[in-house]
Amino acid sequence: MLAFAQLSLEAFVGIFSPIFGQKSWRLSALFSQMVNIGVASLPTVALANFLLGLVLAIQGAGQFEKLGATNMVANLVAFSILREIGPLITAVIVIGRSGSAITAELGTMKVAEEIEALNVMGIDPVKYLVVPRLLAMLLMMPVLTVLGEGVGLFAGWLISVGSLHLDPFFYVQNSIEAVEQKDLFTGLLKALVFGGVVGTVACFYGMQVEGGAEGVGRSTTKSVVTALTSMLAMDAILTTLIYFT
Amino acid sequence: MSEPQTKHKSPYALEVRGLTRSFGSRKILSDVSFKLKRGEILIIMGGSGCGKSTLLRHIIGSLKPDAGEIYIDGTEITKLNDRELSNVRKRFGMLFQTGALFNSLTVGENVALPILESSDVSASIADLVVKLKLELVGLTGFEHLKPAQISGGMKKRVGMARALALDPELLFCDEPTAGLDPVMTAVIDTLTVDLTKKLGLSAVVVTHDMTSAFRIATQMIFLFEGRVIASGTPDEIKNNPDPILQQFINGYADGPIPLKLSKDDYLKRLMQA
Ligand SMILES: Nc1ncnc2c1ncn2[C@@H]1O[C@H](COP(=O)(O)OP(=O)(O)OP(=O)(O)O)[C@@H](O)[C@H]1O
Ligand SMILES: [Mg+2]
């Protein structure tokens, strides 16, 4: 726990130090990590959000039909995607796809003495390896979340217009009325925090690896489990703070 | 690249005193002591698993000893903090036993990495240095390959080029010639000797290759079960009557070194199974 706190602190100092005029970020490393984490995850994130958008609309329609209020589907979809489902499912996909990849990659480097070699060359592995990955996570998680939410909302609209025969324009208007700006921003805040959690956890477990390929596997599993549970815990905490107080 | 070190604090580039280290309950190094004068080459010999790589790891500051001191040019390094240690390490070059090349970078980028990270040199100067260092180890023209595309012996040589990238004062090599053919071994040996003679570099080399060891050594130590059981010049080592040492340097299967092999007939055990 102490080691984790130390690594996170060092990494965040590394992220902010360029702002105070010390050496700049490794832009090429950052860029390639953003591609790794962001661009490569986009199709899966979009698919997951699309499917959840469909499911939400279908489930909602079943319930609202009994009340004779099918047009409420718009509210349900917009509200739950922006506040909860969008950030959550995006983080789940990123943990499975990129978080695990980061742990496995850093772990393999650790096992192959590459991290030790960096140290001997006087290169700080935190600045060289962790900072670009964490920063890319922090930047890409909100971006992926917004794009995912867009796709999810579109899926809800598609079902509502296509099979519930709701008026396409009216549906959009309903959605807009259902949500506040606050909902969009809290979703994004969640995404940012999730990015930080996933990035630090994934890097931490990668740098911790001991004992060969088997160790890499073990750490990767731990990394995914820890990232998921801490992400859900942060979600509960943030939701409580934002909507209950 | 590194500023010329005009005055030295100590006549010894490296001194190890009473180094002791256990992993769990297994004592890997016990009371290891030796000195290395500037401009000399120290060979560390010893059976597989006797703690040679572990000893090097302590000297470069990756591991901390349970007891004992390590002086690099008079500076005790086992109690330094990360920043101070990283300053001392600027004078090091290290060739790891497995090469430890960065798999995501090309051969050229691997050698260029310490150069680009340590100073503000332009990419074109770094390029030039990379070509020069790769030429030293006979790898001209391999800059653009990835580590996965070259042989084990070539990886070793790239590791050597990278260790030399910043013109270190102290070079540590963990089995630099393992996996190299006899000619390439001679090339690497000559290179190491040249560097110490012409540039005053000091080197610590771990090796199993006795021809190579006696060719380059000015000092030798022999580790057995975590202890230094013999040390001296190559001549002193050759004439040391210790039966364990003699068995090792002459490579006899019979002798006092416990092999932990089964004495049973292999065929018989196969039949029983
Ligand atoms: N991190 C570690 N944890 C536990 N034991 C270790 C660790 N590193 C090394 N050892 C043990 O220390 C002993 C010495 O290992 P070391 O790698 O130093 O041997 P070596 O002399 O370099 O052998 P070789 O010639 O085969 O490279 C081995 O028995 C090994 O099991
Ligand atoms: Mg070894």
Side-chain angles (χ1 to χ4, degrees):
Chain A
M1 200 62 212
L2 196 72
F4 176 74
Q6 192 186 348
L7 179 82
S8 312
L9 189 72
E10 270 179 50
F12 277 103
V13 168
I15 286 181
F16 289 110
S17 62
I19 299 173
F20 303 110
Q22 299 176 20
K23 277 199 169 179
S24 66
W25 293 305
R26 281 158 227 282
L27 286 178
S28 64
L30 175 63
F31 188 73
S32 73
Q33 289 306 322
M34 284 169 69
V35 171
N36 263 348
I37 292 168
V39 181
S41 298
L42 188 57
T44 327
V45 165
L47 180 65
N49 275 283
F50 184 81
L51 293 175
L52 277 169
L54 290 186
V55 169
L56 268 175
I58 295 167
Q59 295 275 24
Q63 294 299 312
F64 286 126
E65 224 157 32
K66 296 179 199 154
L67 305 169
T70 16
N71 54 354
M72 289 294 281
V73 171
N75 300 41
L76 176 79
V77 170
F79 185 86
S80 31
I81 291 246
L82 290 191
R83 277 196 183 186
E84 197 56 56
I85 306 283
L88 197 80
I89 193 64
T90 306
V92 169
I93 300 289
V94 172
I95 288 170
R97 221 200 137 277
S98 310
S100 60
I102 288 176
T103 306
E105 189 194 4
L106 293 183
T108 310
M109 294 183 75
K110 175 89 188 291
V111 173
E113 299 176 307
E114 292 178 30
I115 307 246
E116 204 177 337
L118 279 178
N119 270 321
V120 177
M121 286 185 231
I123 302 170
D124 181 358
V126 173
K127 289 210 182 95
Y128 187 74
L129 297 172
V130 175
V131 167
R133 284 169 176 76
L134 178 58
L135 192 56
M137 271 286 179
L138 286 169
L139 295 173
M140 293 317 282
M141 193 74 98
V143 172
L144 285 171
T145 302
V146 169
L147 295 174
E149 285 172 353
V151 175
L153 293 176
F154 170 70
W157 177 84
L158 212 59
I159 286 285
S160 305
V161 173
S163 64
L164 305 178
H165 308 294
L166 296 182
D167 178 62
F169 181 72
F170 189 58
Y171 179 93
V172 174
Q173 207 173 20
N174 248 354
S175 301
I176 293 172
E177 272 165 21
V179 295
E180 305 169 42
Q181 236 178 17
K182 185 182 165 196
D183 294 321
L184 183 65
F185 288 130
T186 52
L188 286 183
L189 176 70
K190 277 185 182 176
L192 189 70
V193 172
F194 294 168
V197 169
V198 178
T200 46
V201 167
C203 290
F204 173 72
Y205 279 103
M207 305 288 273
Q208 284 270 304
V209 170
E210 258 347 293
E214 188 200 348
V216 176
R218 224 179 304 123
S219 272
T220 307
T221 309
K222 270 195 213 155
S223 157
V224 169
V225 173
T226 312
L228 272 175
T229 42
S230 9
M231 186 269 288
L232 291 171
M234 283 317 286
D235 189 28
I237 294 172
L238 286 175
T239 308
T240 317
L241 285 180
I242 296 166
Y243 291 101
F244 267 10
T245 52
Chain B
M1 230 103 312
S2 54
E3 306 95 88
Q5 217 68 38
T6 41
K7 51 178 191 281
H8 293 288
K9 280 204 277 182
S10 154
Y12 296 104
L14 167 69
E15 186 178 349
V16 174
R17 280 193 211 152
L19 193 71
T20 300
R21 173 68 196 248
S22 308
F23 286 117
S25 59
R26 287 168 63 216
K27 203 165 202 177
I28 302 298
L29 296 171
S30 50
D31 199 20
V32 172
S33 303
F34 59 86
K35 292 174 178 176
L36 170 66
K37 281 212 192 90
R38 192 159 293 100
E40 299 208 331
I41 300 177
L42 174 83
I43 296 281
I44 299 176
M45 300 177 291
S48 187
C50 75
K52 304 179 298 295
S53 299
T54 308
L55 176 58
L56 275 191
R57 285 224 167 79
H58 281 88
I59 299 174
I60 59 174
S62 293
L63 291 175
K64 300 284 179 206
D66 296 334
E69 290 121 45
I70 296 162
Y71 296 88
I72 303 285
D73 187 28
T75 308
E76 217 279 317
I77 61 153
T78 59
K79 287 170 193 74
L80 296 184
N81 64 31
D82 286 353
R83 182 169 307 172
E84 292 164 332
L85 189 59
S86 131
N87 273 331
V88 176
R89 281 170 162 169
K90 294 213 170 95
R91 308 172 178 183
F92 290 180
M94 168 90 186
L95 166 60
F96 287 85
Q97 189 167 359
T98 53
L101 300 180
F102 301 105
N103 282 307
S104 55
L105 304 180
T106 64
V107 164
E109 288 166 341
N110 261 287
V111 181
L113 185 67
I115 306 170
L116 294 172
E117 289 296 321
S118 72
S119 52
D120 285 329
V121 294
S122 67
S124 61
I125 293 189
D127 235 34
L128 207 71
V129 179
V130 169
K131 285 222 169 69
L132 226 83
K133 302 291 169 181
L134 283 176
E135 201 183 301
L136 282 180
V137 297
L139 285 176
T140 312
F142 287 91
E143 288 93 328
H144 301 295
L145 294 184
K146 286 276 174 78
Q149 299 166 313
I150 61 177
S151 76
M154 287 160 84
K155 279 182 201 161
K156 269 282 160 66
R157 288 186 279 153
V158 177
M160 185 78 167
R162 189 177 70 181
L164 295 173
L166 289 178
D167 302 321
E169 290 170 50
L170 249 172
L171 178 66
F172 301 103
C173 300
D174 200 341
E175 303 192 14
T177 56
L180 298 191
D181 63 63
V183 177
M184 226 358 117
T185 303
V187 169
I188 297 294
D189 285 348
T190 316
L191 174 64
T192 315
V193 173
D194 274 0
L195 290 167
T196 56
K197 292 243 168 79
K198 292 180 186 151
L199 300 175
L201 177 131
S202 323
V204 178
V205 179
V206 169
T207 186
H208 288 302
D209 180 344
M210 289 302 123
T211 329
S212 157
F214 283 102
R215 185 155 55 196
I216 66 175
T218 55
Q219 283 291 316
M220 301 178 113
I221 63 172
F222 181 71
L223 280 182
F224 182 72
E225 292 179 347
R227 294 176 181 281
V228 179
I229 63 162
S231 66
T233 62
D235 283 335
E236 284 166 355
I237 291 286
K238 241 178 232 159
N239 299 323
N240 191 317
D242 189 301
I244 295 178
L245 180 63
Q246 286 306 322
Q247 185 194 347
F248 189 85
I249 60 180
N250 293 309
Y252 300 137
D254 287 329
I257 299 180
L259 298 178
K260 301 190 176 115
L261 295 176
S262 166
K263 290 266 186 290
D264 284 352
D265 187 19
Y266 177 61
L267 204 66
K268 210 162 73 193
R269 277 193 294 146
L270 265 186
M271 304 296 274
Q272 278 167 355

